[in-house]
């Protein structure tokens, strides 16, 4: 069977060339295509991405999460300076499905990271606004591919601690970092348990001044909690772990960079990273297929039938399987009619 | 739109009557129908379940998980004696999708709980063998419905700590209990982080003899870990929590029963339990629909096309969305042809 691939248009060929040379304006144009909802743009984006597809095994993709106020931008500023100082070219993206609700993108204001924004080895892209998490995630994955094609070998995907966005980010990155603030004693931080599940590294930020001792205790608490849980396959010895850092004084940031480099190297050497990325691609295929199958279903089955079965199941009048069976019958009929 | 409901056959009417009277043989016959894969049995089972559908608001459904060796059966024996002593009628079921692999059902041997098996207020049902987790889960939910119709007001659904079965069990129960053994210091128990996520109550079992002090420390460790995580909506004050128990000496078992009763009462009083069950029913409808849509899709699209697209996406030659789009086109064509 031939593989599905669109013919590149002259427009996308020019953009692809520019991106390969590392031209930022071409990269920005490519990302604009990827973020557009217009059907012709979607086609061009797919053709551009197919054109640029290739081996990116030497990039490192880092997911970074933390609630507002934890100091994410200041941390990324410091961390970005450290990583570009080590010769990396760094792209910073954001996944923020809440931005349509809150009205503000988490990276909307580039001035939040003004030093990094002026760094020629760094590229900062605000969160695309609007759309479902699925749509935002799709655009973010495609933007990662474009940044890597433009020569950025390290990509940070930032997200806020809301709902399912961390899970989505962990499915497009190699390493997941959770940023926390120092919190004393019984003061809960409200870390979602599902996020503990995916964290490779917990960084207790603001470990400076009066908060230093509290940060140490918080670190120890989370280290103990992590020890009670199971490691991921392919983890280097000692991971997941919890450390402290001060974005203001700079303490601990180089250590975080070292840890991330060590974990990325270990996962690359063991083949874990390559196979994890392959599995991620298949997972995204399955998600995309599920979403599209759902679309086809919803176009075919009348809304009233759907909500009447939902309500009957909710009220306990119809069992879930019987309800599903009824809907499948309606669906088959509708599909047959074309 | 009329609601989908099968007409009860004379066979199922007799079984339903027996179940309503609390006749154990009728209950066993009903469960056999529910567990059967035969199409006519599936129809009869659906008709039986529709016949018996009704208000079960006063039952309490408890999910119980623990790795082999943690002493689940001994704990259930003690706990069952405590609960039947308090006037409850208790059914014990198992969800074990691994049983086809390991060859042994976790509750296959009723003699593991021989006191409870002879208790007239208790009903023990071994794990249905074989099938996917989805199939096992469906049968378990239907068995819960039959047990409740037969007057069992407390249902324990037992599972082993493998993969996704805990999540499935938590989606069919009101309260989730995780059983652990005492483990000293850095000795890892390999609790999956996703299981910590859903536990309302962690019971460190075997808190007797030499292990008593270790059990206390283990309890404190997990209590601290739970404090670092977020509570579920609708949780009573103080939940999730960690306690110790000894199934052999009996210490702590009554306290566990008290805690479960308190949490169930709080969740019932707040309306959380009723709305959670409604949401569970809708979730299962969506799962069943997804599974059935997947079936329809797999029947329509040739296996070779599917695996060729999968492989192209895995290798990075085709992007996930483009692959999904290609498959959807093939699917639409096939469905139109009927």
């Amino acid at each position: 069977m031939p593989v599905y691939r669109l013919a590149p248009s002259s427009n996308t060929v020019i953009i692809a060339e520019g991106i390969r040379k590392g031209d930022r304006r071409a990269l920005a144009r490519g990302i604009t295509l990827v973020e557009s909802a217009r059907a012709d743009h979607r086609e061009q984006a797919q053709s551009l991405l197919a054109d640029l597809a290739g081996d990116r095994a030497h990039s490192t993709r880092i997911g970074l999460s933390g609630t507002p106020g934890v100091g994410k931008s200041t941390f990324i500023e410091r961390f970005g300076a450290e990583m570009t100082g080590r010769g990396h070219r760094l792209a910073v993206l954001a996944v923020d499905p809440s931005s349509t609700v809150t009205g503000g993108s988490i990276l909307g204001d580039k001035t939040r990271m003004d030093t990094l924004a002026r760094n020629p080895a760094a590229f900062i892209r605000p969160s695309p606004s609007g759309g479902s998490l699925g749509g935002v995630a799709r655009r973010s994955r495609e933007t990662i591919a474009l940044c890597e094609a433009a020569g950025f070998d390290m990509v940070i995907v930032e997200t806020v601690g809301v709902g399912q966005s961390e899970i989505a980010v962990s499915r497009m990155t190699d390493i997941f970092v959770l940023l926390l603030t120092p919190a004393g004693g019984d003061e809960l931080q409200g870390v979602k348990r599902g996020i503990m599940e995916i964290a490779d590294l917990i960084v207790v930020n603001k470990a400076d001044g009066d908060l230093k001792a509290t940060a140490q205790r918080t670190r120890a608490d989370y280290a103990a909690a992590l020890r009670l849980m199971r490691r991921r396959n392919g983890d280097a010895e000692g991971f997941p772990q919890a450390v402290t850092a001060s974005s203001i004084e700079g303490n601990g940031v180089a250590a975080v960079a070292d840890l991330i480099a060590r974990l990325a190297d270990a996962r690359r050497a063991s083949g874990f990273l390559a196979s994890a990325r392959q599995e991620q691609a298949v997972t995204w295929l399955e998600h995309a297929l599920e979403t599209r199958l759902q679309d086809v279903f919803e176009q075919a089955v009348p809304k009233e039938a759907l909500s009447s079965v939902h309500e009957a199941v909710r009220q306990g009048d119809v069992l879930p399987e019987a309800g599903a069976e009824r809907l499948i019958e309606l669906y088959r009929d509708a599909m047959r009619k074309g």
Side-chain angles (χ1 to χ4, degrees), chain A:
Chain A
M1 212 203 74
V3 145
Y4 183 68
R5 194 192 276 270
L6 288 158
S9 71
S10 60
N11 182 30
T12 59
V13 169
I14 294 167
I15 297 178
E17 255 172 50
I19 288 178
R20 278 201 197 88
K21 283 182 203 149
D23 174 15
R24 282 162 180 270
R25 286 183 58 187
L27 178 56
R29 280 183 66 199
I31 296 176
T32 303
L33 275 184
V34 151
E35 292 180 354
S36 169
R38 269 175 51 183
D40 57 330
H41 287 174
R42 290 290 316 128
E43 272 198 27
Q44 288 180 43
Q46 289 302 314
S47 141
L48 176 65
L49 287 159
D51 196 356
L52 291 171
D55 181 30
R56 317 257 181 262
H58 283 280
S59 67
T60 302
R61 301 170 189 166
I62 303 163
L64 181 78
S65 168
T67 44
V70 71
K72 274 200 299 296
S73 359
T74 327
F75 179 81
I76 294 175
E77 279 264 57
R78 277 277 183 179
F79 181 80
E82 177 73 31
M83 283 303 191
T84 54
R86 295 181 183 200
H88 289 291
R89 297 192 68 222
L90 179 80
V92 183
L93 318 173
V95 168
D96 180 13
S98 68
S99 62
T100 37
V101 181
T102 59
S105 165
I106 47 174
L107 275 172
D109 192 0
K110 277 200 200 181
T111 58
R112 272 179 40 204
M113 303 184 209
D114 53 353
T115 313
L116 202 60
R118 288 192 311 267
N119 184 331
F123 178 82
I124 301 179
R125 181 78 186 187
S127 172
S129 65
S132 65
L133 177 57
V136 171
R138 197 256 308 146
R139 290 186 295 236
S140 301
R141 283 181 295 120
E142 293 176 352
T143 301
I144 291 174
L146 295 182
C147 291
E148 290 177 353
F152 292 97
D153 66 331
M154 186 164 276
V155 181
I156 295 180
V157 186
E158 177 190 351
T159 191
V160 289
V162 286
Q164 293 295 303
S165 64
E166 275 78 9
I167 308 296
V169 168
S170 78
R171 283 186 182 142
M172 63 180 81
T173 52
D174 307 315
I175 288 173
F176 200 89
V177 179
L178 174 63
L179 229 58
L180 294 176
T181 41
D186 278 338
E187 190 181 330
L188 291 178
Q189 297 220 39
V191 176
K192 283 208 141 192
R193 285 178 264 189
I195 298 175
M196 294 280 284
E197 160 93 16
I198 56 172
D200 297 306
L201 190 58
I202 287 179
V203 178
V204 182
N205 198 18
K206 304 190 179 177
D208 39 48
D210 290 349
L211 288 172
K212 204 160 187 171
T214 311
Q216 296 294 355
R217 272 200 310 276
T218 306
R219 190 210 67 79
D221 288 348
Y222 278 92
L226 287 173
R227 266 199 301 277
L228 295 172
M229 299 171 191
R230 193 181 285 176
R231 280 199 282 155
R232 264 206 275 191
N233 279 336
D235 281 3
E237 203 50 56
F239 287 90
Q241 68 174 267
V243 298
T244 59
S246 162
S247 304
I248 294 170
E249 297 177 358
N251 304 324
V253 175
V256 169
D258 288 344
L259 285 168
I260 287 177
R262 181 155 76 81
L263 183 57
D265 285 348
R267 286 187 175 171
R268 195 169 282 119
S270 70
F272 173 80
L273 192 143
S275 73
R277 285 185 179 187
Q278 290 191 336
E279 289 318 307
Q280 285 178 359
V282 171
T283 300
W284 286 114
L285 167 65
E286 283 161 359
H287 274 271
L289 186 60
E290 220 169 75
T291 305
R292 294 290 292 115
L293 275 177
Q294 195 68 36
D295 291 346
V296 173
F297 173 83
E298 280 167 15
Q299 281 159 21
V301 174
K303 267 207 171 54
E304 315 77 63
L306 191 59
S307 59
S308 123
V309 170
H310 259 78
E311 198 46 34
V313 168
R314 185 187 300 277
Q315 296 306 328
D317 295 330
V318 170
L319 286 169
E321 281 74 17
E325 216 41 57
R326 169 71 185 143
L327 290 171
I328 289 289
E329 275 171 33
L330 291 171
Y331 175 60
R332 276 188 194 280
D333 288 347
M335 291 298 282
R336 217 166 283 132
K337 289 171 194 154

